[in-house]
């Protein structure tokens, strides 16, 4: 059983809050999804997806809401503020790598099409990845020390 220092626990709690805020924002967007898709300039692809089934863009958004909420609950689990969830080490590390990848992809896309909202989205992803980095480092070090 690994334990974290207070700084790592605090960062995981901030990560949980940020993920819950993302989930809440996506939930709010369900009520004006077309406008949200236009704002993020994904309306064309979402219209194509909707041509396969009108509910699909909503289902994708609900899946994102679930993913962000699950990430938040795993953060709280790792802190000891929520019931112990399975595969905690793997999921916490995966959350870090997903948000770090999102940051990298977002920053690379700025070279193709510079947009302020992409900077903001990339900064948010980077902040979340930063929150999970110490726990991921602890997990990786413990794994490497065992093998």
């Amino acid at each position: 059983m690994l334990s974290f220092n207070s700084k790592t626990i605090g960062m995981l709690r901030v990560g949980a809050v940020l993920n819950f805020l993302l989930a809440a924002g996506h939930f709010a967007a369900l009520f004006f999804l077309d406008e949200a898709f236009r704002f993020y300039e994904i309306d064309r692809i979402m219209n194509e997806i909707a041509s396969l089934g009108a509910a699909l863009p909503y289902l994708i958004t609900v899946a994102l809401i679930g993913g962000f909420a699950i990430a938040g609950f795993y953060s709280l689990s790792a802190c000891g503020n929520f019931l112990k969830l399975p595969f905690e080490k793997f999921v916490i590390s995966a959350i870090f790598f997903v948000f770090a990848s999102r940051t990298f992809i977002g920053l690379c896309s700025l070279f193709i099409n510079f947009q302020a909202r992409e900077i903001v989205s990339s900064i948010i992803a980077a902040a979340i990845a930063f929150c999970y980095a110490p726990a991921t480092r602890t997990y990786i070090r413990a794994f490497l020390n065992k093998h």
Side-chain angles (χ1 to χ4, degrees):
M1 177 75 143
L2 289 173
S3 61
F4 297 120
N5 62 35
S6 60
K7 180 182 175 189
T8 300
I9 289 172
M11 292 178 76
L12 284 168
R13 286 181 180 148
V14 171
V17 169
L18 292 173
N19 273 295
F20 288 134
L21 287 173
L22 282 173
H26 280 76
F27 180 79
L30 283 172
F31 299 100
F32 53 94
L33 213 48
D34 290 335
E35 292 84 0
F37 291 156
R38 270 193 296 282
F39 177 77
Y40 284 101
E41 296 181 359
I42 58 171
D43 49 327
R44 279 190 307 200
I45 191 158
M46 285 303 184
N47 287 336
E48 288 180 38
I49 291 170
S51 72
L52 303 172
L56 285 176
Y58 290 91
L59 292 174
I60 291 168
T61 304
V62 168
L64 287 170
I65 293 166
F68 292 131
I70 288 169
F73 286 124
Y74 265 93
S75 300
L76 295 177
S77 175
C79 293
N81 297 121
F82 190 72
L83 61 108
K84 212 60 163 156
L85 296 173
F87 310 110
E88 181 182 289
K89 294 174 189 174
F90 173 77
V91 173
I92 292 292
S93 298
I95 293 167
F96 165 75
F97 287 110
V98 166
F99 280 104
S101 298
R102 169 61 182 87
T103 301
F104 179 75
I105 292 166
L107 294 176
C108 288
S109 76
L110 292 173
F111 291 107
I112 298 166
N113 185 18
F114 186 85
Q115 295 181 341
R117 72 177 158 268
E118 187 57 49
I119 293 173
V120 172
S121 295
S122 295
I123 289 171
I124 292 168
I128 294 172
F130 182 75
C131 290
Y132 289 87
T136 300
R137 183 181 62 236
T138 300
Y139 290 145
I140 291 171
R141 282 184 179 164
F143 176 80
L144 292 175
N145 288 336
K146 244 169 61 170
H147 294 89

